[in-house]
Amino acid sequence: MTIPQRYSLVTLGVTDVIASTAFYRAIGWVPSSHSAEGDVTFFTTAGGVLGLWKTGELAAEAGVSTMHASAPAFRAVALSINLESRSAVDDACAEWLAAGGAVSKAPTETEWGGYSGYVADPDGNLWELAHNPFWPLDERGLPVLG
């Protein structure tokens, strides 16, 4: 058997599902009807599904201890949203801040010829907002790689 080369769901551990849902709503995302108010929220994206679930419950489900209070500032994971232009990156960063998120690295030119910055949601989950002129976006807004 070969495991399919895809992901279906990314679940972010959050302190407060209601507050986190409000943040993602504030940046314009619409929760799925499969969400359970206050327990778990799902957002259908152009790629996989994004879930918000309480950190402790996610850890218990995964069979690991919660280390949220002492978790390192950098968790070695960042999700990315590729955008169609540098100005779209700047606009998205401004909207992220207005919704209550934070900027960990302001958008800037990259050494690989693109433009990118990093933002965090209220629980510190990192997102890269990027424009890569070498990766055209398809009709869903996903990068087309050769």
Side-chain angles (χ1 to χ4, degrees):
M1 174 184 161
T2 301
I3 297 174
Q5 186 172 321
R6 66 170 182 257
Y7 71 90
S8 304
L9 171 70
V10 171
T11 304
L12 300 178
V14 300
T15 304
D16 181 332
V17 173
I18 293 172
S20 292
T21 300
F23 169 77
Y24 283 94
R25 280 180 181 261
I27 63 168
W29 292 25
V30 179
S32 162
S33 61
H34 291 276
S35 301
E37 183 73 28
D39 290 326
V40 64
T41 301
F42 297 109
F43 296 94
T44 302
T45 74
V49 173
L50 178 75
L52 306 175
W53 199 16
K54 290 181 183 175
T55 301
E57 292 179 28
L58 179 57
E61 165 109 347
V64 297
S65 64
T66 53
M67 295 175 37
H68 188 271
S70 62
F74 180 62
R75 299 175 191 165
V77 173
L79 303 170
S80 296
I81 300 173
N82 281 64
L83 299 160
E84 63 278 0
S85 67
R86 290 174 181 227
S87 62
V89 170
D90 291 334
D91 292 346
C93 189
E95 288 181 36
W96 197 276
L97 278 173
V103 174
S104 64
K105 180 183 175 199
T108 186
E109 291 185 20
T110 67
E111 71 277 356
W112 45 266
Y115 187 73
S116 134
Y118 283 83
V119 293
D121 71 10
D123 284 280
N125 295 300
L126 284 177
W127 289 81
E128 178 189 26
L129 303 174
H131 169 65
N132 185 334
F134 310 108
W135 288 3
L137 303 178
D138 69 13
E139 65 282 350
R140 299 174 299 158
L142 299 177
V144 178
L145 305 180

